[in-house]
Amino acid sequence: MKNTKRRMENLNLYDYRHVEDHLSAMAARGWRLESIGARLWKYRRAEPAKVRYAVTYIQDASQFNPGPTERQQTLEELCAAAGWEKVADWFQMQIYCSEAENPIPLETEESVRLEAVHRSMKRNFLPANIICLLVSLVMLGRFVRTLITDPIHILESDASLFTGPLFLLLTAILLISLLHYWLWYCRSAKSVAQGGSCAAPGDIRWVSWVGYALLIPWTALYCLSWLARGLPGPAVYFALHTLIICLMILLLRKTTALLRRMKASFRLNLFLTLLADVVLAAVLVGGLNTAAIKGGWFNGARSETYIYQDQEWDVSPMDLPLTVSDLTGETYSHISRQDTSAGSVLLPRRVCREHVMEGTARKGIHYEITKPRGWLYDMAVKSAAASREETFSYRTARFSWLYTWEEIPAAPWGAERACRELCDGEFTDTVLLIFPDRLVEFECSLDLTPEQMALVGEELKNA
């Protein structure tokens, strides 16, 4: 039988009444609070008993302090004389307990209690949550604007499809939490001004549980979307990144606690904790990114390569639906190929590239095959055939290029429609082929014959 256990408690810093009631209920079931972490509260087994808990606030209390402040020590002495025993602290919140039948109340002035709570919230809860809310609102606004003006840009990215609703959820949770506290503070201030007590805050723990209930399946769905497309790399990266964040939080808390035991000053503890945060992020996140890039988690792993004329070439080139050799009927000594998956679960896209070299002559092809879901087909066609402007700025100079499409005969390609790209009115080597179930953007530096065009269309419409 375990003598300790940890529970995730969704209690708010200002919600002292629920904290007191909850801890009393836990003690009645035989569990006494031992310590408080970021989210996990640690309890130790004890005989069930009727225990009274009381919460008060000390403004200068902090996890970065080398020990209890003078105010905390004075409070502990006064509480001990009144029969209250210090249990734990949570930021500025100080938690005491007593088994006396009618212990002396810790707080007698409701105006003092309200002001202490508000000062604590202004030091911890309010600044961080307001900043998070502003950032979330900006990101959500950008997502909504893009969804309205260029929906394909959102729908073709699994990351955008995942983060957009995530920012909506975060914004809702932060707004509800901040509004709940503000309404409680206003009601309490009015009640105290009339000689009453602080208002009952109401139970808002459901907000966090609803958040978790939505976040967990949404995150799982995001990972499954990659796995369903045969791409475990991004799913593994996301899972490892989440674990690294949790590990960093744990290590930073351990660092702060260690420095506190070493009696480091507040400023030194804060500085070294922030420094450890930067170092851990650089080492852990940087290491993960390096492993992902070298392992080809997102772009697909390359086969063994060799260097020839300062360029990488494949020892054993992978198979592609269409190659330069298929078009020319020739063989090449040096070949470099890439076959990657892009797009999203709604607009899956396959991107293939090949470069070949024989002697000093180089040739290459590049094509992207997009298979939109049925209800997105017309939107995808319209977006693919739309004109676009690309800009580049260097110092005071600004350059721009306008890309448009011009209809060309589709019959040679075996497509329903075909367009050729123009850059500032000049034809490029890129064509857009529109088939009943897919779009193909094909780029080739060769002057293709009608037979080669037919081969391109035949191979790529079935790839």
Side-chain angles (χ1 to χ4, degrees):
M1 183 180 295
K2 294 178 62 175
N3 291 321
T4 61
K5 71 174 179 179
R6 289 175 171 82
R7 283 170 45 109
M8 180 178 291
E9 306 291 6
N10 289 319
L11 295 165
N12 292 302
L13 184 63
Y14 65 94
D15 195 0
Y16 61 90
R17 291 188 180 179
H18 277 117
V19 172
E20 294 171 348
D21 294 342
H22 169 72
L23 294 178
S24 295
M26 290 293 292
R29 296 199 297 266
W31 293 101
R32 303 286 185 94
L33 178 67
E34 189 170 291
S35 61
I36 298 177
R39 276 295 180 184
L40 295 178
W41 293 32
K42 183 179 180 182
Y43 299 87
R44 57 178 173 81
R45 188 181 296 277
E47 289 295 325
K50 184 178 180 180
V51 182
R52 290 282 303 275
Y53 283 84
V55 168
T56 188
Y57 297 83
I58 296 291
Q59 185 178 357
D60 57 359
S62 171
Q63 69 270 32
F64 298 109
N65 289 332
T69 63
E70 183 176 346
R71 290 184 180 180
Q72 285 178 293
Q73 292 176 348
T74 301
L75 178 64
E76 287 186 31
E77 293 172 0
L78 292 175
C79 289
W84 292 95
E85 178 186 356
K86 177 71 175 290
V87 177
D89 54 64
W90 184 30
F91 298 104
Q92 283 72 49
M93 179 185 285
Q94 313 293 301
I95 303 175
Y96 288 82
C97 73
S98 174
E99 296 189 29
E101 185 68 27
N102 294 302
I104 300 174
L106 289 188
E107 295 283 0
T108 56
E109 291 289 337
E110 288 296 307
S111 60
V112 174
R113 182 202 293 274
L114 180 61
E115 184 60 27
V117 171
H118 193 51
R119 284 198 304 265
S120 299
M121 294 294 289
K122 288 192 293 185
R123 183 167 181 178
N124 286 292
F125 177 84
L126 294 178
N129 281 270
I130 290 174
I131 291 174
C132 286
L133 177 61
L134 293 176
V135 172
S136 184
L137 283 171
V138 170
M139 299 304 293
L140 180 61
R142 292 178 59 183
F143 173 81
V144 173
R145 184 186 65 183
T146 305
L147 189 61
I148 294 173
T149 60
D150 187 12
I152 288 294
H153 185 74
I154 296 293
L155 299 174
E156 68 181 359
S157 169
D158 278 328
S160 296
L161 288 171
F162 171 72
T163 56
L166 201 62
F167 281 118
L168 176 61
L169 175 63
L170 179 60
T171 300
I173 291 175
L174 290 172
L175 279 174
I176 292 173
S177 300
L178 288 168
L179 181 61
H180 185 271
Y181 171 71
W182 180 250
L183 292 176
W184 172 82
Y185 179 72
C186 291
R187 292 198 310 269
S188 297
K190 183 177 180 180
S191 175
V192 169
Q194 295 174 353
S197 61
C198 293
D203 194 347
I204 198 177
R205 286 175 289 181
W206 64 269
V207 174
S208 296
W209 292 123
V210 169
Y212 290 129
L214 295 175
L215 176 62
I216 293 173
W218 186 244
T219 303
L221 187 63
Y222 173 67
C223 293
L224 287 174
S225 70
W226 289 103
L227 296 176
R229 291 159 53 200
L231 296 170
V236 172
Y237 177 87
F238 181 82
L240 289 178
H241 201 280
T242 303
L243 290 175
I244 283 176
I245 292 175
C246 295
L247 177 61
M248 285 179 58
I249 293 174
L250 175 62
L251 292 177
L252 289 175
R253 289 188 61 84
K254 295 293 184 183
T255 300
T256 302
L258 175 62
L259 291 170
R260 187 174 187 178
R261 289 196 298 270
M262 295 173 64
K263 303 301 181 181
S265 66
F266 175 91
R267 290 185 177 181
L268 180 61
N269 193 325
L270 180 60
F271 171 76
L272 292 178
T273 299
L274 292 175
L275 180 62
D277 188 12
V278 174
V279 172
L280 286 172
V283 172
L284 296 178
V285 178
L288 176 64
N289 291 337
T290 300
I293 293 172
K294 289 185 175 181
W297 293 8
F298 291 92
N299 298 323
R302 290 284 303 275
S303 60
E304 185 181 354
T305 61
Y306 64 93
I307 302 297
Y308 177 73
Q309 292 194 357
D310 299 324
Q311 186 173 342
E312 279 190 311
W313 304 95
D314 297 335
V315 174
S316 301
M318 65 181 67
D319 292 330
L320 292 180
L322 179 70
T323 65
V324 176
S325 291
D326 294 333
L327 294 174
T328 63
E330 301 174 4
T331 58
Y332 301 93
S333 301
H334 309 288
I335 301 173
S336 175
R337 293 175 181 169
Q338 191 174 13
D339 185 0
T340 62
S341 293
S344 71
V345 68
L346 298 178
L347 286 164
R349 179 175 296 130
R350 185 178 182 182
V351 181
C352 299
R353 294 182 178 89
E354 182 186 38
H355 296 281
V356 299
M357 185 173 182
E358 187 63 40
T360 58
R362 298 190 184 206
K363 301 174 183 177
I365 58 175
H366 168 219
Y367 49 93
E368 298 182 6
I369 305 170
T370 304
K371 299 179 182 179
R373 304 301 178 193
W375 58 279
L376 287 174
Y377 178 82
D378 292 339
M379 187 186 300
V381 171
K382 182 179 178 180
S383 176
S387 60
R388 72 184 192 280
E389 183 179 13
E390 294 185 1
T391 60
F392 171 75
S393 298
Y394 178 72
R395 295 183 179 176
T396 58
R398 183 177 182 272
F399 308 90
S400 65
W401 300 267
L402 178 63
Y403 290 89
T404 57
W405 296 95
E406 183 175 302
E407 291 270 355
I408 59 175
W413 302 90
E416 287 190 345
R417 289 176 56 196
C419 304
R420 188 170 179 183
E421 186 182 60
L422 296 95
C423 178
D424 291 335
E426 298 290 334
F427 281 115
T428 70
D429 297 326
T430 302
V431 295
L432 175 65
L433 306 177
I434 301 173
F435 297 97
D437 66 335
R438 70 189 62 195
L439 311 175
V440 176
E441 197 170 305
F442 179 78
E443 181 181 0
C444 176
S445 58
L446 304 174
D447 291 327
L448 300 180
T449 65
E451 292 76 13
Q452 290 172 322
M453 293 179 186
L455 178 62
V456 170
E458 183 65 28
E459 294 296 332
L460 298 188
K461 75 179 180 181
N462 298 311

